[in-house]
Amino acid sequence: MATRRLYYDDAFLKEFTARVMHCEVLPPDLNAGITGTVWGLILDRTAFYPTSGGQPNDLGKIGDANVLDVRDEGETILHVVDRKPSDPEVNCCIDWPRRFDHMQQHTGQHLLSAMFQERFGLPTVSFHMGNEMCTIDLRGPEPADEILEGAERAANRVVFENRPVNVRYGTADQLSELGVRKDVERDGILRAIEIEGADLQPCGGTHVKSTGQIGVVLVRRCSRVRQDWRVEFVCGGRAERVARHDFHLVRQTAEKLACAQEDVVSAASRAVAERDANFKTVRALLQRLAEAEAAVALQATPPGPQGVRILSRVFEGIPADYLGFFGTAFAKSEKTIALLATAEDGQLLFAQDPSAGKDMNGLLKRVLEEAGGKGGGTRDFARGRLNDGASAKRALSLAEKLLG
Ligand SMILES: [Zn+2]
């Protein structure tokens, strides 16, 4: 009871009638995203393509049932549908935009793989068609940009020549004589797809009639995957969408940078260079400001017991770097200790001149133990962060108390 595969000889068949030969309730299939009750149908003939050879399954209608999945089960093809057809004679209809997209990608893949192989000696070891992108994995040395562009250009030349794409049948030996790209060790009659004058390879998939219908082949990124090179590409309608999307990105970037589209790269480089220069300037100014403020604070802090000047201060609205600059500048003088914090995020910094004779790391640990937080450092310089920024004031009071 083998299913006749109508798509083998007519990949452009969109509607057909068939007879339901078998119908059964299937268990839920979480991997396929099927949670409710579904039915498995076997028809006497079908134009629905099952997932195989890198090409995803078709969708569409069988009677009034929606097709959710199509599986190749060897002799037969199983159609997973969301309801049981009421009549054994069914009118069927393929989701054509989806299928035609798959055909553009699949024929485009044959052509692109042929160009990588012919011109650059890079064989394709696998093909995947995703919802957005298609990929082939090439084996061999890393393809440089010139090779990626060269294969793309060569493939598009064949597209522009609008060469016929033919289905060929023959035994492995016959196909081998015709120069098939990949030898198959299988008996009986095999199916192969020929792009006239460019490629012949065994394939059970659906293909466009001539290369012009591929539209265009657009090669995108290339990245390493295990020992192979994964090349992303899109063809036809996908290439149109991707190119349109890229153009929007360039246009929006140019608007942001207030420059012409041709100038985005130089304008972006300038913006990054300016940002880096500004960062350096701001840091230098921050350090000078901290040193000036620390000098003023030192004047205003009278010596306490044993002649040690202890400054305790919670800062608001300053970057975290500022604490370090300020603490270092303040604790440079004889017998000084700075206990500093930021109000917003509870950063702590304890610094002393060695002559003050305390242990900043030990002090910080004790404060954090009580107030909650993380940090550490040396005897003279320790940093930490409170779990709760709002407790900065309390943490500094505690530190003062501990210093006695
Ligand atoms: Zn194929």
Side-chain angles (χ1 to χ4, degrees), residues 53 55 106-107 109-110 127 193 201-207:
Q55 183 179 335
H106 198 158
T107 312
Q109 178 265 313
H110 279 217
F127 163 48
I193 300 299
Q201 61 175 295
C203 177
T206 56
H207 290 269

Side-chain angles (χ1 to χ4, degrees), residues 241-284:
R241 284 195 295 281
V242 164
R244 173 60 48 193
H245 178 70
D246 287 351
F247 176 74
H248 280 307
L249 290 181
V250 173
R251 194 171 68 186
Q252 285 167 356
T253 310
E255 275 169 21
K256 284 264 177 240
L257 293 167
C259 70
Q261 282 163 27
E262 302 76 61
D263 299 335
V264 281
V265 175
S266 55
S269 306
R270 259 200 316 277
V272 169
E274 268 170 36
R275 186 199 62 189
D276 292 349
N278 286 342
F279 179 78
K280 275 190 197 144
T281 309
V282 166
R283 253 183 89 84

